[in-house]
Amino acid sequence: MAELIVALDFKDAGSALTMARSLKGAVSWMKVGLELYTAEGPVIISSLKDMGFKVFLDLKFFDIPHTVQGAVRSAARLGADMVNIHALGGERMARAAMVGCAEGVAAGQKTPIVLAVTMLTSMAAGDLPIAGAPGPSEMALDLAGKAKQYGLNGVVCSGLEVAAVKTACGSGFICLTPGIRLASSGTDDQRRVVTPAQAVRNGSDFLVVGRPVTGAVSPKAAASAIIDDMRSVK
Ligand code: C5P
């Protein structure tokens, strides 16, 4: 059963935790990204964990292998349930991330899921500043194959690419998909967008949704509408 993760893209802990509290019971995963983590640091993770949420720490590490190994080790020590790196960092960086993850896990702690970002869902054809580059979906599929080969647990890709990724990498290879919008809502800065039902139909394991939930008059009702759409898939 696919799970919804709500992106807490807020400027401070107060707003983020108020939102998380309002979603308690409807959603079990929260995502902490660059804005919130940069503002508040590790304590935001323990606050969400203390509230009973699973936490995806979405910092998209991309650096030399030694640095990424240390960053993933620290993220695992913080108790993050899921972390991510960029697939474009290549094999040595990816393998170092997996070593760092194992090093950071405390005895009895569940090992975090480590995903590789393929192509950001905000990118459309022509957005990659590389002359002659293949289209984003083609790049995403290629990078997913590499991520699998490097020993990662799965990828972040758009819902448009999930079916092909699962065919190429196997059903157990996790696909997490941002760029989710109900047919009735706008797409903001996202470009490779699908509905919750389409993402689930294509095989997505985790759907990340931010603004359509956190910007709604009733975030809990908005999250429920997304979950209803996900569950409409037979
Ligand atoms: O508000 P919206 O639903 O567009 O938020 C999507 C979230 O997913 C953001 O927090 C963004 O950082 C994240 N994300 C993404 N595309 C990726 C990886 C993460 O949109 N490839």
Side-chain angles (χ1 to χ4, degrees), residues 95-154:
R95 293 199 185 277
M98 297 310 284
V99 172
C101 183
E103 288 169 344
V105 177
Q109 183 196 339
K110 208 169 162 223
T111 304
I113 296 167
V114 185
L115 302 179
V117 177
T118 55
M119 292 298 291
L120 296 170
T121 45
S122 55
M123 300 193 87
D127 282 344
L128 196 68
I130 299 174
S137 289
E138 203 183 322
M139 286 277 284
L141 182 58
D142 188 35
L143 288 169
K146 301 270 172 35
K148 163 92 180 170
Q149 207 179 301
Y150 303 159
L152 292 164
N153 304 127

Side-chain angles (χ1 to χ4, degrees), residues 7-23 30-32 36 40 44 48 51 53 214:
L8 295 175
D9 291 324
F10 288 101
K11 64 179 186 334
D12 57 47
S15 330
L17 295 177
T18 301
M19 178 59 60
R21 210 167 288 121
S22 77
L23 294 167
M30 293 289 147
K31 188 187 85 102
V32 174
L36 184 58
E40 299 290 351
I44 190 68
L48 289 165
M51 290 167 74
F53 290 107
T214 58

Side-chain angles (χ1 to χ4, degrees), residues 4 26 219-229:
L4 175 63
K220 198 162 189 173
S224 297
I226 289 167
I227 292 166
D228 286 348
D229 199 56

Side-chain angles (χ1 to χ4, degrees), residues 7 9 31 58 60 120-121 156 178 181 190 208-212:
D9 291 324
K31 188 187 85 102
D58 176 26
K60 302 183 182 69
L120 296 170
T121 45
V156 183
R181 292 293 184 273
Q190 297 284 8
V208 174
V209 181
R211 290 161 288 185

